[in-house]
Amino acid sequence: MLLEYFQMIDRVEELDPENGRVVARAEVPMESPVFEGHFPGTPLVPGVLLIETMAQASGFMLLSRLKFEKMPFLANVTLAKMRTFVEPGAVLRVEAELEHDGSGFAKTAAHIVSDGKKICDSRLMFRIMPFPNETLKGNMLDRFSQISRSQAE
Amino acid sequence: MTTTFEAVAEIISETSDIPLEEITPEKNAFTDLGIDSLDFLDIAFAIDKHFGIKIPLEQWTEELNENPAQVDEYFVLSKLCARIDEVIAAKDA
């Protein structure tokens, strides 16, 4: 994870776009500028970044289903629960499942587990839209290639 | 048996926190009830789930982009419900 660059997913471990399921891995760094403020002397991953992590895992699954022809943008977060603190060095297993494939939108149910313990969970709604430009599309393809390639290594 | 309008009105009321008595068939979801496009995603999700359908929002949006003056034809609730009935009928056919 590069928290300050919003690169939350390190590796896609399992991906089943047809059935709408993804499992990803994310390793919390030991140091990050984020921890300087959150919190001094007690570094913890902010809850909003855990939600972002679940959103990105869901997003890569949706991008795969959409064959990178459209982009899912996070639109709504419901039933989010932060169950325990996440400290530097934690290894996170991020799981997301498609709950509903609508027309122009999708909803997923996602959760994060670390050391066998549930960290957080949420329902996430995405608006599915055309890519606003080729730069973003290219960036998504590159990032997906990186985190999928590390799956094979 | 609950009509399509009754079910949709309940969904809108619960999703957007609008009193049920204010939701009448001649109201436009956006211009009369003040629902925004993000709230409408929640409503579309609940409608899909309730009726076991997939309302073609993308197609409607494309059609509206070509002819914005037709917005009442899609989002006045009586007409929205008629369109939902068409989708249900097509699914059951």
mmCIF file of all heavy atoms in Angstrom, chain A residues 70 75-76 78 99-105 107 125-128, chain B residues 37-38 41-42 44-45 48-49 53-59 62:
data_model
loop_
_atom_site.group_PDB
_atom_site.id
_atom_site.type_symbol
_atom_site.label_atom_id
_atom_site.label_comp_id
_atom_site.label_asym_id
_atom_site.label_seq_id
_atom_site.Cartn_x
_atom_site.Cartn_y
_atom_site.Cartn_z
ATOM 1 N N LYS A 70 -15.723 0.792 -19.280
ATOM 2 C CA LYS A 70 -16.308 1.863 -18.475
ATOM 3 C C LYS A 70 -15.643 1.855 -17.106
ATOM 4 O O LYS A 70 -14.969 0.892 -16.744
ATOM 5 C CB LYS A 70 -17.823 1.684 -18.341
ATOM 6 C CG LYS A 70 -18.550 1.932 -19.647
ATOM 7 C CD LYS A 70 -20.040 1.984 -19.467
ATOM 8 C CE LYS A 70 -20.706 2.344 -20.790
ATOM 9 N NZ LYS A 70 -22.167 2.380 -20.678
ATOM 10 N N ALA A 75 -19.921 5.826 -5.288
ATOM 11 C CA ALA A 75 -21.013 6.791 -5.185
ATOM 12 C C ALA A 75 -21.695 6.773 -3.823
ATOM 13 O O ALA A 75 -22.301 7.759 -3.415
ATOM 14 C CB ALA A 75 -22.054 6.515 -6.273
ATOM 15 N N ASN A 76 -21.602 5.651 -3.124
ATOM 16 C CA ASN A 76 -22.391 5.536 -1.904
ATOM 17 C C ASN A 76 -21.764 4.468 -1.007
ATOM 18 O O ASN A 76 -21.386 3.402 -1.486
ATOM 19 C CB ASN A 76 -23.821 5.139 -2.302
ATOM 20 C CG ASN A 76 -24.798 5.171 -1.149
ATOM 21 O OD1 ASN A 76 -24.392 5.310 0.007
ATOM 22 N ND2 ASN A 76 -26.070 5.037 -1.452
ATOM 23 N N THR A 78 -22.568 2.396 2.526
ATOM 24 C CA THR A 78 -23.566 2.145 3.574
ATOM 25 C C THR A 78 -23.091 1.016 4.474
ATOM 26 O O THR A 78 -22.296 0.162 4.064
ATOM 27 C CB THR A 78 -24.941 1.760 2.976
ATOM 28 O OG1 THR A 78 -24.768 0.718 2.030
ATOM 29 C CG2 THR A 78 -25.605 2.950 2.318
ATOM 30 N N GLU A 99 -23.043 -7.587 -5.359
ATOM 31 C CA GLU A 99 -24.370 -7.829 -4.781
ATOM 32 C C GLU A 99 -25.461 -7.574 -5.802
ATOM 33 O O GLU A 99 -26.482 -8.234 -5.813
ATOM 34 C CB GLU A 99 -24.556 -6.916 -3.569
ATOM 35 C CG GLU A 99 -25.764 -7.243 -2.743
ATOM 36 C CD GLU A 99 -25.805 -6.433 -1.464
ATOM 37 O OE1 GLU A 99 -26.357 -5.325 -1.486
ATOM 38 O OE2 GLU A 99 -25.269 -6.897 -0.462
ATOM 39 N N HIS A 100 -25.229 -6.570 -6.650
ATOM 40 C CA HIS A 100 -26.226 -6.278 -7.686
ATOM 41 C C HIS A 100 -25.563 -5.597 -8.877
ATOM 42 O O HIS A 100 -24.794 -4.658 -8.704
ATOM 43 C CB HIS A 100 -27.320 -5.372 -7.122
ATOM 44 C CG HIS A 100 -28.417 -5.098 -8.104
ATOM 45 N ND1 HIS A 100 -29.289 -6.080 -8.536
ATOM 46 C CD2 HIS A 100 -28.771 -3.974 -8.770
ATOM 47 C CE1 HIS A 100 -30.127 -5.566 -9.417
ATOM 48 N NE2 HIS A 100 -29.838 -4.286 -9.577
ATOM 49 N N ASP A 101 -25.873 -6.107 -10.054
ATOM 50 C CA ASP A 101 -25.344 -5.548 -11.296
ATOM 51 C C ASP A 101 -26.476 -4.786 -11.976
ATOM 52 O O ASP A 101 -27.285 -5.378 -12.691
ATOM 53 C CB ASP A 101 -24.843 -6.711 -12.176
ATOM 54 C CG ASP A 101 -24.175 -6.207 -13.438
ATOM 55 O OD1 ASP A 101 -23.812 -5.024 -13.485
ATOM 56 O OD2 ASP A 101 -24.017 -7.004 -14.371
ATOM 57 N N GLY A 102 -26.560 -3.494 -11.705
ATOM 58 C CA GLY A 102 -27.644 -2.697 -12.265
ATOM 59 C C GLY A 102 -27.261 -2.103 -13.607
ATOM 60 O O GLY A 102 -26.184 -2.356 -14.145
ATOM 61 N N SER A 103 -28.168 -1.289 -14.147
ATOM 62 C CA SER A 103 -27.898 -0.606 -15.402
ATOM 63 C C SER A 103 -27.292 0.759 -15.072
ATOM 64 O O SER A 103 -27.974 1.652 -14.572
ATOM 65 C CB SER A 103 -29.208 -0.429 -16.182
ATOM 66 O OG SER A 103 -29.005 0.412 -17.287
ATOM 67 N N GLY A 104 -25.982 0.877 -15.297
ATOM 68 C CA GLY A 104 -25.306 2.126 -14.979
ATOM 69 C C GLY A 104 -24.854 2.235 -13.537
ATOM 70 O O GLY A 104 -24.358 3.276 -13.107
ATOM 71 N N PHE A 105 -25.035 1.181 -12.789
ATOM 72 C CA PHE A 105 -24.549 1.179 -11.413
ATOM 73 C C PHE A 105 -24.327 -0.264 -10.953
ATOM 74 O O PHE A 105 -24.808 -1.212 -11.584
ATOM 75 C CB PHE A 105 -25.526 1.896 -10.469
ATOM 76 C CG PHE A 105 -26.823 1.163 -10.244
ATOM 77 C CD1 PHE A 105 -26.994 0.352 -9.136
ATOM 78 C CD2 PHE A 105 -27.871 1.271 -11.144
ATOM 79 C CE1 PHE A 105 -28.191 -0.336 -8.925
ATOM 80 C CE2 PHE A 105 -29.067 0.589 -10.951
ATOM 81 C CZ PHE A 105 -29.230 -0.210 -9.826
ATOM 82 N N LYS A 107 -23.518 -2.653 -7.087
ATOM 83 C CA LYS A 107 -23.378 -2.625 -5.633
ATOM 84 C C LYS A 107 -22.572 -3.841 -5.207
ATOM 85 O O LYS A 107 -22.802 -4.947 -5.701
ATOM 86 C CB LYS A 107 -24.760 -2.646 -4.982
ATOM 87 C CG LYS A 107 -24.738 -2.312 -3.507
ATOM 88 C CD LYS A 107 -26.105 -1.904 -3.015
ATOM 89 C CE LYS A 107 -26.017 -1.337 -1.612
ATOM 90 N NZ LYS A 107 -27.275 -0.777 -1.144
ATOM 91 N N MET A 125 -21.732 1.311 -3.324
ATOM 92 C CA MET A 125 -22.440 1.517 -4.598
ATOM 93 C C MET A 125 -21.513 2.273 -5.548
ATOM 94 O O MET A 125 -20.852 3.239 -5.148
ATOM 95 C CB MET A 125 -23.704 2.338 -4.360
ATOM 96 C CG MET A 125 -24.473 2.702 -5.620
ATOM 97 S SD MET A 125 -25.710 1.505 -6.042
ATOM 98 C CE MET A 125 -27.066 2.038 -4.983
ATOM 99 N N PHE A 126 -21.485 1.837 -6.787
ATOM 100 C CA PHE A 126 -20.651 2.479 -7.810
ATOM 101 C C PHE A 126 -21.534 2.960 -8.958
ATOM 102 O O PHE A 126 -22.432 2.242 -9.394
ATOM 103 C CB PHE A 126 -19.623 1.486 -8.368
ATOM 104 C CG PHE A 126 -18.630 1.030 -7.340
ATOM 105 C CD1 PHE A 126 -18.948 -0.003 -6.471
ATOM 106 C CD2 PHE A 126 -17.392 1.642 -7.225
ATOM 107 C CE1 PHE A 126 -18.043 -0.426 -5.498
ATOM 108 C CE2 PHE A 126 -16.490 1.225 -6.262
ATOM 109 C CZ PHE A 126 -16.811 0.193 -5.397
ATOM 110 N N ARG A 127 -21.225 4.140 -9.434
ATOM 111 C CA ARG A 127 -21.845 4.624 -10.664
ATOM 112 C C ARG A 127 -20.926 4.200 -11.812
ATOM 113 O O ARG A 127 -19.713 4.450 -11.762
ATOM 114 C CB ARG A 127 -21.943 6.150 -10.602
ATOM 115 C CG ARG A 127 -22.834 6.778 -11.640
ATOM 116 C CD ARG A 127 -22.622 8.267 -11.630
ATOM 117 N NE ARG A 127 -23.061 8.910 -10.398
ATOM 118 C CZ ARG A 127 -24.198 9.585 -10.270
ATOM 119 N NH1 ARG A 127 -25.008 9.695 -11.294
ATOM 120 N NH2 ARG A 127 -24.518 10.181 -9.138
ATOM 121 N N ILE A 128 -21.468 3.557 -12.818
ATOM 122 C CA ILE A 128 -20.672 3.082 -13.947
ATOM 123 C C ILE A 128 -20.783 4.098 -15.080
ATOM 124 O O ILE A 128 -21.881 4.342 -15.589
ATOM 125 C CB ILE A 128 -21.174 1.700 -14.443
ATOM 126 C CG1 ILE A 128 -21.327 0.714 -13.280
ATOM 127 C CG2 ILE A 128 -20.267 1.168 -15.541
ATOM 128 C CD1 ILE A 128 -20.069 0.260 -12.633
ATOM 129 N N SER B 37 -29.691 12.545 -8.729
ATOM 130 C CA SER B 37 -29.336 11.338 -9.495
ATOM 131 C C SER B 37 -28.683 10.286 -8.607
ATOM 132 O O SER B 37 -28.834 9.079 -8.843
ATOM 133 C CB SER B 37 -28.411 11.711 -10.652
ATOM 134 O OG SER B 37 -27.208 12.266 -10.158
ATOM 135 N N LEU B 38 -27.990 10.718 -7.549
ATOM 136 C CA LEU B 38 -27.368 9.744 -6.644
ATOM 137 C C LEU B 38 -28.440 9.007 -5.840
ATOM 138 O O LEU B 38 -28.397 7.773 -5.707
ATOM 139 C CB LEU B 38 -26.385 10.456 -5.711
ATOM 140 C CG LEU B 38 -25.617 9.574 -4.748
ATOM 141 C CD1 LEU B 38 -24.865 8.475 -5.483
ATOM 142 C CD2 LEU B 38 -24.643 10.413 -3.928
ATOM 143 N N LEU B 41 -30.067 6.320 -7.784
ATOM 144 C CA LEU B 41 -29.378 5.021 -7.876
ATOM 145 C C LEU B 41 -29.870 4.080 -6.775
ATOM 146 O O LEU B 41 -30.078 2.884 -7.006
ATOM 147 C CB LEU B 41 -27.863 5.204 -7.742
ATOM 148 C CG LEU B 41 -27.104 5.821 -8.910
ATOM 149 C CD1 LEU B 41 -25.603 5.736 -8.654
ATOM 150 C CD2 LEU B 41 -27.438 5.132 -10.224
ATOM 151 N N ASP B 42 -30.032 4.622 -5.569
ATOM 152 C CA ASP B 42 -30.565 3.807 -4.469
ATOM 153 C C ASP B 42 -31.976 3.325 -4.792
ATOM 154 O O ASP B 42 -32.345 2.188 -4.498
ATOM 155 C CB ASP B 42 -30.596 4.623 -3.168
ATOM 156 C CG ASP B 42 -29.227 4.772 -2.544
ATOM 157 O OD1 ASP B 42 -28.389 3.872 -2.731
ATOM 158 O OD2 ASP B 42 -28.997 5.794 -1.867
ATOM 159 N N ALA B 44 -33.273 2.980 -7.819
ATOM 160 C CA ALA B 44 -33.191 1.981 -8.899
ATOM 161 C C ALA B 44 -32.764 0.625 -8.342
ATOM 162 O O ALA B 44 -33.316 -0.418 -8.730
ATOM 163 C CB ALA B 44 -32.200 2.450 -9.966
ATOM 164 N N PHE B 45 -31.810 0.645 -7.413
ATOM 165 C CA PHE B 45 -31.361 -0.613 -6.786
ATOM 166 C C PHE B 45 -32.535 -1.290 -6.078
ATOM 167 O O PHE B 45 -32.772 -2.492 -6.245
ATOM 168 C CB PHE B 45 -30.228 -0.321 -5.799
ATOM 169 C CG PHE B 45 -29.854 -1.479 -4.923
ATOM 170 C CD1 PHE B 45 -29.240 -2.603 -5.453
ATOM 171 C CD2 PHE B 45 -30.131 -1.452 -3.561
ATOM 172 C CE1 PHE B 45 -28.900 -3.681 -4.644
ATOM 173 C CE2 PHE B 45 -29.798 -2.523 -2.746
ATOM 174 C CZ PHE B 45 -29.178 -3.644 -3.282
ATOM 175 N N ASP B 48 -35.046 -2.643 -8.623
ATOM 176 C CA ASP B 48 -34.514 -3.877 -9.227
ATOM 177 C C ASP B 48 -34.713 -5.055 -8.291
ATOM 178 O O ASP B 48 -35.168 -6.137 -8.684
ATOM 179 C CB ASP B 48 -33.010 -3.723 -9.515
ATOM 180 C CG ASP B 48 -32.715 -2.912 -10.780
ATOM 181 O OD1 ASP B 48 -33.672 -2.409 -11.401
ATOM 182 O OD2 ASP B 48 -31.526 -2.786 -11.127
ATOM 183 N N LYS B 49 -34.359 -4.844 -7.032
ATOM 184 C CA LYS B 49 -34.451 -5.931 -6.043
ATOM 185 C C LYS B 49 -35.903 -6.325 -5.806
ATOM 186 O O LYS B 49 -36.237 -7.514 -5.740
ATOM 187 C CB LYS B 49 -33.816 -5.484 -4.709
ATOM 188 C CG LYS B 49 -32.302 -5.521 -4.706
ATOM 189 C CD LYS B 49 -31.820 -6.963 -4.587
ATOM 190 C CE LYS B 49 -30.318 -7.020 -4.379
ATOM 191 N NZ LYS B 49 -29.803 -8.390 -4.548
ATOM 192 N N ILE B 53 -35.894 -7.246 -11.439
ATOM 193 C CA ILE B 53 -35.642 -6.773 -12.813
ATOM 194 C C ILE B 53 -34.363 -5.941 -12.845
ATOM 195 O O ILE B 53 -33.705 -5.771 -11.821
ATOM 196 C CB ILE B 53 -36.821 -5.911 -13.349
ATOM 197 C CG1 ILE B 53 -37.054 -4.705 -12.414
ATOM 198 C CG2 ILE B 53 -38.078 -6.758 -13.477
ATOM 199 C CD1 ILE B 53 -38.068 -3.702 -12.937
ATOM 200 N N LYS B 54 -34.048 -5.449 -14.028
ATOM 201 C CA LYS B 54 -32.933 -4.508 -14.188
ATOM 202 C C LYS B 54 -33.468 -3.363 -15.031
ATOM 203 O O LYS B 54 -33.557 -3.496 -16.265
ATOM 204 C CB LYS B 54 -31.761 -5.229 -14.875
ATOM 205 C CG LYS B 54 -30.521 -4.396 -15.072
ATOM 206 C CD LYS B 54 -29.380 -5.318 -15.537
ATOM 207 C CE LYS B 54 -28.142 -4.577 -15.939
ATOM 208 N NZ LYS B 54 -26.995 -5.464 -16.210
ATOM 209 N N ILE B 55 -33.877 -2.288 -14.362
ATOM 210 C CA ILE B 55 -34.437 -1.191 -15.156
ATOM 211 C C ILE B 55 -33.325 -0.561 -15.992
ATOM 212 O O ILE B 55 -32.226 -0.331 -15.495
ATOM 213 C CB ILE B 55 -35.202 -0.154 -14.300
ATOM 214 C CG1 ILE B 55 -34.340 0.470 -13.214
ATOM 215 C CG2 ILE B 55 -36.449 -0.744 -13.686
ATOM 216 C CD1 ILE B 55 -35.031 1.616 -12.494
ATOM 217 N N PRO B 56 -33.618 -0.304 -17.269
ATOM 218 C CA PRO B 56 -32.548 0.102 -18.207
ATOM 219 C C PRO B 56 -32.160 1.572 -18.079
ATOM 220 O O PRO B 56 -32.369 2.368 -18.996
ATOM 221 C CB PRO B 56 -33.163 -0.208 -19.570
ATOM 222 C CG PRO B 56 -34.628 -0.041 -19.365
ATOM 223 C CD PRO B 56 -34.925 -0.436 -17.944
ATOM 224 N N LEU B 57 -31.577 1.913 -16.946
ATOM 225 C CA LEU B 57 -31.237 3.321 -16.684
ATOM 226 C C LEU B 57 -30.286 3.903 -17.721
ATOM 227 O O LEU B 57 -30.409 5.067 -18.113
ATOM 228 C CB LEU B 57 -30.585 3.454 -15.307
ATOM 229 C CG LEU B 57 -31.486 3.696 -14.103
ATOM 230 C CD1 LEU B 57 -30.613 3.967 -12.882
ATOM 231 C CD2 LEU B 57 -32.424 4.859 -14.362
ATOM 232 N N GLU B 58 -29.307 3.096 -18.132
ATOM 233 C CA GLU B 58 -28.333 3.617 -19.108
ATOM 234 C C GLU B 58 -29.019 3.977 -20.418
ATOM 235 O O GLU B 58 -28.741 5.017 -21.013
ATOM 236 C CB GLU B 58 -27.227 2.579 -19.347
ATOM 237 C CG GLU B 58 -26.206 2.524 -18.233
ATOM 238 C CD GLU B 58 -25.085 1.549 -18.523
ATOM 239 O OE1 GLU B 58 -25.398 0.368 -18.790
ATOM 240 O OE2 GLU B 58 -23.916 1.954 -18.488
ATOM 241 N N GLN B 59 -29.919 3.090 -20.857
ATOM 242 C CA GLN B 59 -30.640 3.348 -22.109
ATOM 243 C C GLN B 59 -31.510 4.599 -21.973
ATOM 244 O O GLN B 59 -31.532 5.461 -22.861
ATOM 245 C CB GLN B 59 -31.498 2.127 -22.432
ATOM 246 C CG GLN B 59 -32.306 2.268 -23.719
ATOM 247 C CD GLN B 59 -33.366 1.187 -23.838
ATOM 248 O OE1 GLN B 59 -33.162 0.062 -23.361
ATOM 249 N NE2 GLN B 59 -34.482 1.531 -24.426
ATOM 250 N N GLU B 62 -29.359 7.689 -22.110
ATOM 251 C CA GLU B 62 -28.931 7.996 -23.490
ATOM 252 C C GLU B 62 -30.076 8.630 -24.275
ATOM 253 O O GLU B 62 -29.890 9.618 -24.999
ATOM 254 C CB GLU B 62 -28.476 6.714 -24.200
ATOM 255 C CG GLU B 62 -27.081 6.276 -23.784
ATOM 256 C CD GLU B 62 -26.717 4.903 -24.334
ATOM 257 O OE1 GLU B 62 -27.345 4.464 -25.326
ATOM 258 O OE2 GLU B 62 -25.815 4.270 -23.760
#
